[in-house]
Amino acid sequence: MFCRLALLLCLALSPLTSHAQTSDSGLGILGGGVTLAHAGGNTPISRLDAYLDTAITRHHGAQLDFGLTRFPGHDDGRIALHLYMAPGGQAKYGVFAAYSDVNNHPASARSAGIEALWALGPRALIEARAGIGTATGSNDFVFASLRGQRAITAQLTATARLGLIDLDEKARRHREIVAGLGLTYRLSQNLSLGFGVTHSHITGRPALADDTSAHLTLTARFGTAATRLRAAPFSPIRPLTGLYARGALPIP
């Protein structure tokens, strides 16, 4: 199912972004992409993420995300909208809103917040995000993340990320800290293969053991933009994935 969805999304994005590659107006479709990922560990997780980036003006844009995460026993579908400003070649920043829903269960989550991407020289990027949200059952949460990316060679890129989510309710209190390292190898202009390791530490009740997992990703991207930073997408928004996967936030 994941492969079929990825193929359909790639075919849908290709003609749109080919127009962006030939247009010098700076408006319209900037690009898009599809990522397939699978993570091992104690709880196997498969993911499909897709995005479409559109220029509203020369200095404003909108990124639309779609995602599907498959856990053992259920799927979690997501949609998100990022509205951002990119006044120069060194930064873009804005706001986001996201909604997710678990299939065949009365479980959903909503979140919103702020985010930014900065260029640190010609070969590095850093992304910061902070948000608030609520999940079914009056489970309010806050979350934040930091991600750094640096090109080692023309084909090889290293990534590091750190994430925090805090869910504090009378019936359930959990805090998850996630740290990850990864390498991405560009197979061609539009296709890249990635490998990474993620470590999750959850505190609260009930107590959960730490979990370390390895993941493999395949990403296809299309389109171009006026600057390298403008072409870099904001990362997917899925703060509850770890809590869902490890049972800290049970599915009703």
Side-chain angles (χ1 to χ4, degrees):
M1 181 185 69
F2 281 87
C3 293
R4 290 197 296 269
L5 285 173
L7 179 60
L8 289 173
L9 287 168
C10 288
L11 292 174
L13 290 172
S14 182
L16 292 173
T17 55
S18 64
H19 171 73
Q21 291 176 324
T22 60
S23 173
D24 60 0
S25 67
L27 308 180
I29 304 297
L30 294 176
V34 179
T35 296
L36 288 171
H38 181 76
N42 296 329
T43 304
I45 300 174
S46 297
R47 299 194 314 269
L48 183 149
D49 292 295
Y51 78 93
L52 186 65
D53 194 8
T54 304
I56 301 173
T57 72
R58 290 186 180 275
H59 302 298
H60 300 81
Q63 178 184 318
L64 183 63
D65 293 350
F66 300 94
L68 178 66
T69 302
R70 169 158 287 184
F71 305 97
H74 65 277
D75 298 333
D76 179 18
R78 302 181 309 279
I79 185 171
L81 177 64
H82 312 253
L83 296 175
Y84 64 85
M85 295 178 60
Q90 300 302 311
K92 68 178 185 179
Y93 47 88
V95 298
F96 67 86
Y99 174 80
S100 66
D101 183 76
V102 178
N103 71 315
N104 299 323
H105 295 274
S108 62
R110 300 163 181 81
S111 61
I114 57 175
E115 58 190 353
L117 270 169
W118 295 276
L120 302 179
R123 305 178 68 180
L125 292 174
I126 188 169
E127 178 189 59
R129 171 181 292 155
I132 59 174
T134 182
T136 299
S138 298
N139 293 298
D140 298 330
F141 58 89
V142 296
F143 62 100
S145 63
L146 188 66
R147 177 176 64 93
Q149 175 180 308
R150 179 174 176 81
I152 301 173
T153 68
Q155 284 77 35
L156 191 64
T157 300
T159 302
R161 68 183 185 93
L162 181 66
L164 169 69
I165 177 171
D166 189 282
L167 185 150
D168 191 353
E169 296 293 329
K170 291 182 179 180
R172 186 175 294 107
R173 295 180 181 179
H174 285 293
R175 176 176 295 168
E176 182 186 29
I177 301 173
V178 179
L181 294 172
L183 289 172
T184 301
Y185 184 79
R186 193 173 68 179
L187 301 172
S188 66
Q189 182 177 358
N190 296 326
L191 193 65
S192 59
L193 183 67
F195 174 79
V197 176
T198 299
H199 182 77
S200 169
H201 174 71
I202 295 180
T203 62
R205 57 177 193 264
L208 295 171
D210 288 7
D211 182 51
T212 300
S213 62
H215 61 267
L216 187 67
T217 63
L218 180 65
T219 299
R221 288 183 178 171
F222 307 93
T224 186
T227 66
R228 182 177 62 88
L229 180 67
R230 188 70 182 268
F234 289 104
S235 59
I237 301 167
R238 41 173 182 263
L240 296 177
T241 295
L243 298 182
Y244 277 147
R246 302 183 60 195
L249 186 60
I251 303 297

